[in-house]
Amino acid sequence: MSEPASYGYNNNQQSVCPRHPDQVTYVRCGRCGRLACGKCQIPLEVGMMCVDCRQQVRAAQPASRTTRSKPVVTYALIALNVLVWALQWVFPSVSTFGLYNPAWVEYSGEWYRALTSGFLHSLGNLSHLPLNMFSLYLFGQALEPILGRWKFLSTYLLSILGGSAAVHVIARFWGDYGDMTTSVLGASGGVFGLFGAFFALARARRQSTSGIMVLVAINFVYGLMFPGVSWEAHLGGLVTGAIVATLLSGLPEPRKRK
């Protein structure tokens, strides 16, 4: 019984590749069963696939979220931090309104400062904002496509709160009154939260974590050695980010409305 012409035969009734009639072959695609010469074979772990089937498989595969998603939340957070920093220069009261002071929030009940302080930066140290935003950009574009926008935003914001909570708890129970009256501000809690999230997700995927560990260690030691840097906020953000990312990564993505 003769086979369909698409399987390929020349005038001498030799089996040939349908794409290259001058190439005699006896190897068939493991998917469609058509003959394929060496030029048209895609090696697989078991057997081979012809180039036509390979194109069909690629076309049927959905585009990954990593390649099609832009880190818009990361860009928005950077823009918001820069905008608030500019407002701090124009209206100095913005800093007073938003910075976090453990003793003051206990007295006034203005706990919103635990979050607003994460969007303020020092006007006396011009490297404060650029360094934090550079770190936010690097880890944001790596984590946001993996976690998704809302999970990434939740991780960042909760890390800021975790950093403020660590500042408060450590000053309240392991510090002294002087620690309670020290005000803190900056995105370091949120940035260290991204460090922790990246570490946690890499560990879960059994990827190398040596690079992030070195980076965290350098930044943490820097906070301990130099005055004016809140290592408590770094520690609180780091731990919070790792925990939140681990919990959220196991949750399904919210469905998009059509």
Side-chain angles (χ1 to χ4, degrees), residues 154-217:
S154 298
T155 301
Y156 183 80
L157 296 179
L158 289 174
S159 296
I160 292 177
L161 294 176
S164 297
V167 169
H168 200 111
V169 170
I170 293 174
R172 192 75 173 81
F173 297 99
W174 289 281
D176 53 30
Y177 186 75
D179 293 330
M180 286 289 288
T181 57
T182 300
S183 299
V184 295
L185 76 172
S188 298
V191 169
F192 266 76
L194 299 186
F195 291 171
F198 190 87
F199 175 81
L201 294 179
R203 291 280 293 180
R205 298 183 177 197
R206 297 183 179 180
Q207 298 174 344
S208 174
T209 57
S210 57
I212 184 63
M213 289 179 67
V214 172
L215 179 63
V216 170

Side-chain angles (χ1 to χ4, degrees), residues 73-88 94-95 98-100 112-123 128-129 132-133 136 153 156-161 164 184-191:
V73 174
T74 299
Y75 297 152
L77 288 172
I78 293 174
L80 180 58
N81 276 276
V82 173
L83 174 61
V84 173
W85 186 72
L87 291 175
Q88 288 179 252
V94 172
S95 299
L99 57 79
Y100 186 79
Y112 66 86
R113 294 172 179 268
L115 182 61
T116 57
S117 61
F119 292 91
L120 300 172
H121 286 84
S122 172
L123 299 182
H128 191 205
L129 176 71
N132 276 339
M133 293 304 98
L136 172 55
L153 179 61
Y156 183 80
L157 296 179
L158 289 174
S159 296
I160 292 177
L161 294 176
S164 297
V184 295
L185 76 172
S188 298
V191 169

